[in-house]
Amino acid sequence: MDFKRKDILGLQDLSAEEIELILDTAEPMKEILGRELKKVPTLRGHSVVTLFYEPSTRTRTSFELAAKYLGADTASIAVATSSVQKGESLRDTAKTIEMMGIDVIIIRHAAAGAPHLLSRYVKARVINAGDGAHEHPTQALLDMFTIREKKGRLSGLKVAILGDIAHSRVARSNIWGLTKMGAEVRVIGPPTLMPPDIHKMGARVFYRWEDGLKDVDVINVLRIQLERQQKGLFPSIREYTRLYGLDEEKLRCAKPDVLVLHPGPVNRGIEISPEVQDGPHAVINEQVKNGVAVRMALLYLLMGRGEEDVLTA
Ligand code: CP
């Protein structure tokens, strides 16, 4: 199957076949990451820019490394020290970058829909690295890659997403992706952090961990967005941790071989206890490594085969 998309804007738009192709393509990319010399010339002559209006450690760095490992040139726009501070619009910033010969723009923005808007303004390919509370497709793809790698499949698994569902783009992309791939998705959190229509996306809604975590194969723990605490959406951090923080007692409710994921950054000891974060069920560090492989796969699929094809070399 050929990948015919210009952009990667969200998992809502992608078919199960396209998602499978991305995950399959990430496998040889991960093999490259295990080599002593990680660089291949597949995307030599192509160029990638990261344009992040919000902070990031994992997503931005892994995209930059993914592009470099495939031989592409990279540039990074630090919005805090760019002409955005002088009032330049997103459209003008993007057009300026494009005129420098960029092939792919990877954007993170606080406004939902910003990557979609950008994709209409520029001929360059656009990858959504997180837009508001809307989608974070590359995070969900690396989560699915990690689950599939460990469990051998996605179809038929019970996957719980635990925490602040309302403000989470990671939750939305995971729900779109996992349901398309045949998993049962449960969302667990306090009513104040649960969007009213979330069941329409195909997720089962639970407010009590005792019900939601029962016999699940995977738990994806979300970062509690401490900035929301100002808005009184839960009584206190301590209360949140008691009711929804993943600890060893709650973990016992799931299947004995449950996998624990977290997209990072982690509020250690708040949404997940240190014993679980550092324990045998957690695959949080592997998610980071798989993030590079999945982003290499996306750049490869979007920019096409180069003169030396990593999949046939
Ligand atoms: N998971 C994630 O998006 O992390 P960063 O904010 O560090 O990119």
Side-chain angles (χ1 to χ4, degrees):
M1 177 191 174
D2 279 344
F3 195 77
K4 298 206 165 35
R5 302 236 165 212
K6 171 185 171 280
D7 309 301
I8 303 286
L9 301 176
L11 294 196
Q12 185 175 7
D13 309 328
L14 294 189
S15 67
E17 291 72 28
E18 287 172 311
I19 292 172
E20 196 154 294
L21 176 62
I22 295 165
L23 302 186
D24 289 348
T25 307
E27 283 180 9
M29 300 300 169
K30 186 155 181 189
E31 186 272 315
I32 293 171
L33 291 179
R35 294 180 194 169
E36 201 175 334
L37 270 181
K38 297 177 178 58
K39 207 161 175 119
V40 293
T42 307
L43 297 183
R44 192 166 53 198
H46 291 278
S47 52
V48 174
V49 70
T50 55
L51 174 61
F52 276 49
Y53 288 77
E54 288 188 324
S56 168
T57 298
R58 279 148 280 268
T59 313
R60 180 151 84 177
T61 310
S62 59
F63 261 121
E64 286 174 14
L65 287 173
K68 285 182 204 296
Y69 290 155
L70 290 174
D73 295 310
T74 62
S76 174
I77 301 205
V79 165
T81 53
S82 75
S83 288
V84 171
Q85 300 307 320
K86 300 175 196 164
E88 188 167 56
S89 70
L90 173 61
R91 180 180 185 159
D92 290 343
T93 300
K95 200 72 211 168
T96 303
I97 298 167
E98 186 174 45
M99 294 316 291
M100 295 179 195
I102 287 292
D103 298 303
V104 183
I105 300 174
I106 296 155
I107 179 171
R108 173 172 287 187
H109 202 286
H116 304 67
L117 194 71
L118 191 61
S119 76
R120 297 211 294 269
Y121 295 149
V122 295
K123 290 193 186 69
R125 296 170 181 279
V126 176
I127 301 180
N128 181 0
D131 62 325
H134 179 225
E135 280 226 39
H136 191 347
T138 66
Q139 179 67 48
L141 287 165
L142 78 87
D143 292 346
M144 288 192 284
F145 181 84
T146 305
I147 297 168
R148 194 179 79 159
E149 186 178 57
K150 297 286 175 192
K151 296 284 183 192
R153 66 194 164 101
L154 292 169
S155 182
L157 294 180
K158 291 186 176 72
V159 181
I161 305 175
L162 174 66
D164 179 358
I165 310 296
H167 301 101
S168 177
R169 52 197 179 204
V170 174
R172 275 179 190 72
S173 288
N174 264 280
I175 296 170
W176 288 125
L178 285 163
T179 53
K180 282 178 196 198
M181 300 309 285
E184 175 192 316
V185 182
R186 305 173 174 193
V187 287
I188 311 165
T192 50
L193 295 177
M194 191 69 73
D197 284 345
I198 198 81
H199 62 281
K200 292 186 182 161
M201 291 176 66
R204 295 179 65 194
V205 179
F206 295 87
Y207 300 110
R208 284 164 34 95
W209 63 266
E210 295 90 333
D211 303 326
L213 292 181
K214 196 164 168 37
D215 293 332
V216 294
D217 299 282
V218 179
I219 307 172
N220 199 344
V221 184
L222 301 175
R223 180 175 78 89
I224 188 69
Q225 303 190 16
L226 293 172
E227 55 275 25
R228 316 288 174 204
Q229 174 62 5
Q230 315 304 327
K231 298 184 181 168
L233 292 174
F234 46 92
S236 68
I237 302 279
R238 185 193 292 246
E239 188 76 351
Y240 180 86
T241 300
R242 189 175 67 77
L243 290 173
Y244 295 100
L246 186 65
D247 55 19
E248 287 175 316
E249 184 200 352
K250 296 186 184 80
L251 201 60
R252 281 194 286 275
C253 203
K255 286 201 178 140
D257 60 349
V258 65
L259 287 185
V260 175
L261 285 77
H262 190 304
V266 175
N267 295 304
R268 192 169 262 271
I270 295 180
E271 68 263 6
I272 185 169
S273 71
E275 293 73 28
V276 175
Q277 182 178 344
D278 301 327
H281 296 278
V283 289
I284 299 168
N285 293 330
E286 279 141 288
Q287 283 173 268
V288 175
K289 183 166 191 175
N290 289 339
V292 182
V294 165
R295 289 166 179 133
M296 286 168 78
L298 289 170
L299 293 173
Y300 172 81
L301 289 169
L302 283 182
M303 284 193 267
R305 292 170 178 221
E307 58 202 60
E308 281 190 45
D309 189 340
V310 288
L311 296 184
T312 53

